[in-house]
């Protein structure tokens, strides 16, 4: 039997044609940048079993559909935003900048190509950091500073 009147409309806004984009753009979210969504593997593997089953199914379908693309190998580097003027020399080199003292004794920040950076105190950049996300596997970044130099281990004489 059919209802006598029209079916009531859902009270919310109409469904989007791009729900993933809408969700990712709706607020600042951890692991989301303009071009990528990063899911820490340790957190994905620690999700409740029903979530993992859904995720595995979605990832399987995703990779089936897009497997034909020429996928690069991605290198994810944990990073944080820092003001340019708060960086040390190694961090400046990492982000492709340098600092020098001009003839008047003022600090001048420059890009790798020599172009002067105006208002460096307002400039924020991404600088690598240790990964704060817990992992069941030993994180390679824990023994290696961001620039890739090994940490000197002091001998245990005690």
């Amino acid at each position: 039997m059919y209802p006598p009147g029209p079916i009531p409309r859902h009270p919310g806004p109409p469904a989007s044609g791009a729900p993933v984009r809408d969700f990712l753009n709706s607020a600042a979210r951890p692991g989301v940048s303009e071009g990528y969504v990063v899911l820490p593997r340790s957190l994905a593997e620690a999700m409740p079993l029903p979530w993992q089953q859904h995720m595995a199914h979605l990832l399987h379908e995703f990779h089936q559909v897009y497997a034909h693309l020429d996928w690069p190998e991605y290198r994810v580097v944990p990073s944080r935003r820092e003001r340019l003027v708060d960086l040390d020399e190694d961090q400046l080199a990492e982000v492709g900048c340098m600092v020098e003292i001009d003839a008047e004794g003022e600090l001048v920040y420059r890009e790798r190509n020599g172009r002067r950076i105006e208002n460096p105190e307002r400039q924020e950049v991404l600088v690598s950091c240790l990964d704060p996300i817990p992992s069941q596997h030993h994180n390679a970044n824990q023994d290696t500073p961001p620039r890739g130099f090994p940490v000197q281990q002091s001998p245990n004489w005690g």
Side-chain angles (χ1 to χ4, degrees):
M1 189 166 204
Y2 295 102
I7 297 173
R9 186 179 168 279
H10 184 277
S16 170
V20 172
R21 180 179 53 221
D22 293 347
F23 175 78
L24 296 175
N25 289 340
S26 67
R29 302 198 186 277
V32 176
S33 67
E34 186 177 319
Y36 297 94
V37 176
V38 177
L39 299 173
R41 184 174 180 156
S42 62
L43 297 182
E45 290 176 354
M47 292 187 304
L49 185 57
W51 293 14
Q52 289 188 48
Q53 291 167 335
H54 286 295
M55 177 74 79
H57 177 75
L58 288 171
L59 288 172
H60 174 75
E61 288 187 357
F62 180 86
H63 287 115
Q64 266 189 321
V65 170
Y66 296 113
H68 68 283
L69 298 175
D70 187 20
W71 284 74
E73 190 167 333
Y74 291 95
R75 178 180 48 222
V76 177
V77 179
S79 304
R80 67 175 180 264
R81 291 207 169 274
E82 294 283 348
R83 289 181 342 142
L84 194 61
V85 296
D86 294 335
L87 302 183
D88 64 27
E89 194 172 309
D90 288 337
Q91 291 169 318
L92 285 167
E94 176 186 338
V95 299
C97 296
M98 60 187 119
V99 65
E100 59 190 22
I101 300 174
D102 66 8
E104 290 83 40
E106 299 291 323
L107 290 179
V108 176
Y109 289 81
R110 296 193 182 277
E111 293 179 358
R112 186 173 287 132
N113 63 10
R115 187 181 74 79
R116 184 181 181 137
I117 299 171
E118 301 298 328
N119 302 315
E121 61 281 347
R122 293 188 197 145
Q123 181 80 27
E124 283 192 342
V125 292
L126 283 175
V127 181
S128 61
C129 65
L130 294 178
D131 192 344
I133 303 294
S135 173
Q136 70 181 36
H137 305 290
H138 187 67
N139 185 341
N141 290 338
Q142 290 177 347
D143 291 333
T144 307
R147 294 294 301 146
F149 298 106
V151 172
Q152 293 295 323
Q153 299 291 329
S154 57
N156 186 358
W157 301 105

